[in-house]
Amino acid sequence: MASATPSPSAEAGRAPAGAASSPATSTADRGRAAARLGRTSGVRRQLLRRLRRLTPRTLQARLTVAFAAVVAATLVLVATFVINRVGAYFDQQQEDDLLARAGGVAQYVVLIAESTSSVRAGNPVVSATGVVDPAVVLELSRSSQQQIMADHLAQSDVEVQVGLLVGPDKTFEPAANGAFTVKEVGQPEPGQTREHVTSQPVLVEVTSATVPYGVQVSLLDPYTFRASAMANLVGLLLLIGVIALGIAVVVAATLARRFTTPIRRLTEASRDIGEGDLARRIPPGSVRAGSTEVAELGLQFNTMAERLQESVETIRHDRDRSREFLADVSHE
């Protein structure tokens, strides 16, 4: 069978063509890259021009914006610190409140267990083998009791575990039939919102019983006032910040105008002198409103203007005398 093997001459003929196409391809790539770079540079220049248009032009406006920016930055930092600290305080208050609610539910469970007829007859709430008395289980399973625990005492979903206290250190061991989960179905109070958190479990030990037992309660997704309190705090800080920023802008504009008015007077006087009004002066009262440096500048400007006027008048007087002298000489 004949094999199609390319001849060396054919390979040699194709090599220059490939070599010739590589520089062309690289040149096209460089051209596209340069075009993309040019478009990016054009966009940047347009953005810079727009930013320059938004930048204040006058010194008064720049001073006002700078002062207002400093005040705004200070307000943001203070508000962040306040929200952080108050938020931590609210978190601690919420944790304490949830622990108190869980403790109240646990005490209520103990009250229900101790008030059942079977326990009053002398049977333990939890037997030594780790089984909760059926009468206690029945009472805790009643919807009326669960509604009191979840809707009124806890205001959240509730996990209840009843078990033994084992050993000298009273280690809690849940009973096999002692776990109860109660869903909260009541309406929250005005201002309450549901928080997706789980409280720390609260254990109430009953060591005075024939068989010591304990009740452990955890709250899930409780209703709290934390979110509404934080929202009120943020709204109050925002209102205070807007008012403070408005006052800062007014004060900054007033101070900037007070500082820039003498500079504007100097500019106007310089323009008038340049147009030939050599008698133009800056009233001392108009520059005293500014800083000491500006007042000194106004004083030196008036001194310069007086000397300039005297020099020009001297030159004019000498010119007039020269003209009179030449007229007399030509007449004679």
Side-chain angles (χ1 to χ4, degrees), residues 132-297:
V132 180
D133 187 274
V136 175
V137 173
L138 178 63
E139 191 66 25
L140 291 177
S141 300
R142 295 181 184 275
S143 59
S144 58
Q145 300 290 2
Q146 292 185 352
Q147 183 178 3
I148 293 175
M149 288 188 288
D151 297 347
H152 299 285
L153 295 177
Q155 292 183 316
S156 70
D157 298 341
V158 181
E159 285 186 352
V160 179
Q161 288 183 326
V162 182
L164 291 173
L165 298 177
V166 181
D169 55 351
K170 305 298 183 182
T171 303
F172 178 73
E173 290 186 359
N177 62 337
F180 303 90
T181 301
V182 184
K183 294 294 184 179
E184 196 271 341
V185 295
Q187 295 297 323
E189 297 180 9
Q192 282 188 332
T193 56
R194 188 178 288 275
E195 297 278 345
H196 297 289
V197 297
T198 301
S199 70
Q200 295 292 330
V202 174
L203 176 64
V204 173
E205 299 177 352
V206 183
T207 57
S208 59
T210 306
V211 179
Y213 69 95
V215 177
Q216 182 173 278
V217 176
S218 298
L219 306 185
L220 294 79
D221 300 335
Y223 282 107
T224 67
F225 292 97
R226 180 185 179 279
S228 59
M230 289 298 297
N232 293 334
L233 175 64
V234 172
L236 180 60
L237 289 176
L238 182 61
L239 177 62
I240 294 174
V242 170
I243 294 175
L245 187 60
I247 296 174
V249 170
V250 173
V251 173
T254 303
L255 293 177
R257 183 178 180 83
R258 182 181 178 88
F259 292 150
T260 58
T261 296
I263 299 177
R264 188 164 55 251
R265 296 286 186 270
L266 286 169
T267 303
E268 294 172 355
S270 301
R271 185 183 301 111
D272 293 341
I273 291 176
E275 294 174 355
D277 185 7
L278 300 179
R280 182 72 162 84
R281 300 291 185 272
I282 300 176
S286 63
V287 295
R288 288 175 184 171
S291 61
T292 304
E293 293 81 0
V294 176
E296 181 65 23
L297 178 60

Side-chain angles (χ1 to χ4, degrees), residues 40-99:
T40 304
S41 301
V43 172
R44 290 178 180 175
R45 285 194 294 270
Q46 290 179 0
L47 291 176
L48 289 176
R49 282 197 296 269
R50 291 179 181 178
L51 289 176
R52 291 193 190 101
R53 291 174 185 174
L54 296 176
T55 304
R57 298 289 183 180
T58 62
L59 177 61
Q60 179 179 349
R62 291 182 179 182
L63 289 175
T64 303
V65 171
F67 186 79
V70 171
V71 173
T74 304
L75 289 175
V76 169
L77 292 176
V78 172
T80 303
F81 175 78
V82 170
I83 291 175
N84 184 32
R85 299 306 302 169
V86 175
Y89 173 76
F90 284 165
D91 289 341
Q92 184 61 44
Q93 291 295 317
Q94 174 179 281
E95 183 177 354
D96 295 341
D97 179 58
L98 294 181
L99 291 177

